[in-house]
Amino acid sequence: INECDTVDHNCTQTCSNTLGSYTCSCRAGYKDNGYGNCTDIDECSMGTSGCQQLCFNTNGSYYCQCNTGYKLMNDNSSCDDINECIEDPGVCPLRSNCINTLGSYQCNCIGGYQMNNAGICIDIDEC
Ligand SMILES: [Ca+2]
Ligand SMILES: [Ca+2]
């Protein structure tokens, strides 16, 4: 008898017919909680996600994200610094140089200018 094709089994996820019986198993991302029910694996707290920075658990899976100033790479797990100076050339005010840093960036006014409270490089009155 293929119990999996009938209602004659108590598998909550995957049923496999075997000779004379059947077995239950859980789909990827789930584990048997010991009572025959499949529960989500929390890959984030298990440390098996491979996420370099931020990990978010979901039902049956998980996903990675990066801190502010970093972008998720194609492997969907590692994070790389965003070079704001290249990707957003207008990020720094006029008469300043943009310096990329890990997770952020700096704007340094060119010689003879200093940054005011509004983030604008204004002329220094050396006199
Ligand atoms: Ca999960
Ligand atoms: Ca940066």
Side-chain angles (χ1 to χ4, degrees), residues 28-30 39-44 56-63:
Y30 294 86
T39 57
D40 173 56
I41 295 172
D42 186 346
E43 295 85 354
C44 299
F56 295 90
N57 185 49
T58 64
N59 194 15
S61 187
Y62 67 94
Y63 63 95

Side-chain angles (χ1 to χ4, degrees), residues 29-94:
Y30 294 86
K31 65 176 187 304
D32 195 311
N33 67 354
Y35 300 98
N37 289 319
C38 295
T39 57
D40 173 56
I41 295 172
D42 186 346
E43 295 85 354
C44 299
S45 59
M46 296 258 303
T48 56
S49 69
C51 293
Q52 188 180 343
Q53 290 189 350
L54 306 175
C55 181
F56 295 90
N57 185 49
T58 64
N59 194 15
S61 187
Y62 67 94
Y63 63 95
C64 305
Q65 281 191 352
C66 300
N67 292 314
T68 304
Y70 292 85
K71 61 187 171 192
L72 194 62
M73 302 303 285
N74 286 339
D75 63 5
N76 282 327
S77 59
S78 53
C79 298
D80 196 17
D81 172 58
I82 296 170
N83 189 331
E84 294 84 354
C85 301
I86 291 176
E87 297 193 15
D88 186 4
V91 72
C92 282
L94 290 174

